[in-house]
Amino acid sequence: MIDSAAVRAATPGLTSDLIFLDSAGSSLPPAVVTDTVIAHLRREAEIGGYRAANERLDDLADVKSAVATLIGATPATIALSDSASRSWADFFYSVPLREGDRILLSEADYATNAIAALQRARATGAVVEHIPSDGTGALDLGALERMLDERVRLVSLQHAPTNGGLVNPIAEATALARAVGALVLLDACQSIGQLPLDVAALGVDALSATGRKWLRGPRGTGFLYVRDELARTMEPERLDLHGATWTGPDTYALAPDASRFEFWECDVAARLGLGAAVRYLLALGPDQVYAAVAERAAYLRTALSALPGVTVRDLGTRHSGIVSFTVDGVDPIAVRDGLAERNMTVTVSHASSTLLDMTSRALPSVVRASPHYFVDFDELDRFAAAVAGL
């Protein structure tokens, strides 16, 4: 069992009476993360960035080892980046496309992914199509199977959408897509750190994730997992002297693993902070963390559902740590701001982020609450009472 008092004491942001319910946005890091980042920045100021980085080469390598341990991969399949969006795009834009190729997006896909797909379709003559949702709101596996053929080049899946508690059936969808030779790119931005992720069990070809959300790492961090065969054979759209070696006047050699998707310049302090965040999670016990998040989200869903005039908007039968809701007659922004006046932090998810899903449900926006394991149940009770007061 997680020692709640210990993790709260190790979280500087919780020293006040703040009730923090925005780990789906940018979570509160534990002290070891901020201490790691600040210590390295100070070291850079003392001896310069190059020398400071050279002192931490083993620790930088361990960041990949920690991430790989968390998702059941090997360090050679991990590329570090500055965000989930960058990681997703680095893989997506490197997939060869030609006229007539089909790109399938899940209905709950994030706007950034959809925009990238539409841009590449316009440039290459590929076609973007959307996988319908089933009666529960989850990815419709039957519809996906009927859509698949040899022209489907890539299937983009959203594990846990940004706008609600839905969890999609990724392993089942991936098996269908791989059966026709399609690549599967999983956006795990909202699932890493709060849901079990085993890339071998899921079978995905690539996975993108961020550090700032449920991992409790710094902003400006993320990673890309690329299946081993692809990591050794796929050529990224962009390269520098880290992802490849200049071997002659007109030749270059790609790095032998997923590091070919990385660039040399990076925020070393932030990456060390990401490693500290992942190691902190591993030390707590990921399964305990996942269970604690699920328990708190379920508790909050029940509490909010009991309030007159409050509607919980989460879809699906399996849920993540995101709890989305609306309050009758009160704009979600006003709900967010009213709660902020009570020192309670939530955020608002707008239709522009998940256009197809939100439009189909006639929802311009929803309030998004995302309690992590460091949130106490009495805080959830106080939060529900505050929502009732609105």
Side-chain angles (χ1 to χ4, degrees):
M1 179 177 294
I2 294 175
D3 185 339
S4 178
V7 297
R8 289 179 67 84
T11 305
L14 297 176
T15 55
S16 66
D17 62 350
L18 171 68
I19 296 178
F20 187 84
L21 301 176
D22 192 24
S23 287
S26 188
S27 192
L28 299 178
V32 65
V33 172
T34 51
D35 290 348
T36 297
V37 173
I38 292 169
H40 189 75
L41 290 174
R42 286 175 174 159
R43 187 60 174 159
E44 287 184 340
E46 293 168 354
I47 64 172
Y50 284 11
R51 185 176 162 193
N54 286 338
E55 291 179 342
R56 305 299 297 275
L57 292 178
D58 289 344
D59 295 319
L60 286 167
D62 185 67
V63 179
K64 292 187 181 183
S65 296
V67 169
T69 298
L70 182 63
I71 66 172
T74 62
T77 62
I78 305 299
L80 301 177
S81 75
D82 60 12
S83 67
S85 294
R86 175 73 65 188
S87 296
W88 192 95
D90 283 347
F91 183 86
F92 176 75
Y93 279 91
S94 300
V95 175
L97 292 175
R98 61 186 180 183
E99 187 172 358
D101 284 346
R102 299 169 64 207
I103 305 167
L104 304 188
L105 302 183
S106 54
E107 195 171 62
D109 242 309
Y110 191 55
T112 294
N113 305 351
I115 290 169
L118 292 170
Q119 182 192 43
R120 289 209 69 200
R122 181 178 296 175
T124 63
V127 179
V128 177
E129 301 174 41
H130 302 283
I131 309 164
S133 300
D134 65 17
T136 72
L139 192 73
D140 189 326
L141 295 173
L144 171 61
E145 187 171 22
R146 290 188 292 273
M147 294 175 73
L148 290 167
D149 62 24
E150 69 283 353
R151 293 186 300 116
V152 176
R153 181 65 177 141
L154 182 135
V155 178
S156 171
L157 300 177
Q158 199 81 31
H159 196 185
T162 190
N163 65 330
L166 170 70
V167 178
N168 274 315
I170 300 303
E172 297 86 343
T174 298
L176 294 172
R178 293 288 299 276
V180 299
L183 295 173
V184 177
L185 172 55
L186 178 63
D187 186 335
C189 186
Q190 285 292 3
S191 55
I192 188 74
Q194 66 129 333
L195 292 172
L197 274 173
D198 183 316
V199 291
L202 294 175
V204 296
D205 295 288
L207 175 153
S208 61
T210 186
R212 76 174 190 271
K213 297 181 184 290
W214 301 93
L215 285 178
R216 304 182 66 197
R219 294 196 72 173
T221 59
F223 70 86
L224 171 68
Y225 157 80
V226 183
R227 183 167 54 82
D228 186 58
E229 180 185 353
L230 291 174
R232 289 183 283 109
T233 60
M234 192 172 183
E235 179 155 344
E237 185 200 33
R238 298 170 304 160
L239 293 168
D240 76 347
L241 79 173
H242 177 83
T245 300
W246 192 15
T247 57
D250 57 0
T251 61
Y252 60 90
L254 290 165
D257 55 22
S259 62
R260 62 182 60 186
F261 285 92
E262 297 175 339
F263 268 44
W264 184 83
E265 182 57 36
C266 66
D267 186 338
V268 174
R271 288 192 177 178
L272 292 170
L274 173 63
V278 177
R279 287 294 177 194
Y280 186 82
L281 171 59
L282 292 171
L284 282 177
D287 289 341
Q288 293 193 79
V289 167
Y290 306 151
V293 172
E295 187 178 17
R296 282 153 178 77
Y299 185 91
L300 183 57
R301 261 184 219 101
T302 299
L304 292 175
S305 296
L307 299 178
V310 175
T311 304
V312 173
R313 300 292 183 173
D314 296 333
L315 300 176
T317 56
R318 183 187 172 208
H319 293 129
S320 74
I322 297 175
V323 181
S324 61
F325 66 96
T326 55
V327 179
D328 291 351
V330 186
D331 186 270
I333 292 177
V335 174
R336 178 199 65 191
D337 294 346
L339 293 168
E341 292 173 359
R342 295 160 173 82
N343 207 18
M344 300 177 181
T345 302
V346 296
T347 194
V348 173
S349 187
H350 298 279
S352 57
S353 294
T354 46
L355 184 68
L356 298 182
D357 173 58
M358 298 280 275
T359 300
S360 69
R361 293 193 282 157
L363 290 172
S365 57
V366 294
V367 184
R368 188 182 69 185
S370 45
H372 219 321
Y373 60 89
F374 54 72
V375 178
D376 287 340
F377 289 97
D378 71 297
E379 292 179 319
L380 297 177
D381 288 336
R382 288 159 51 199
F383 175 79
V387 172
L390 295 174

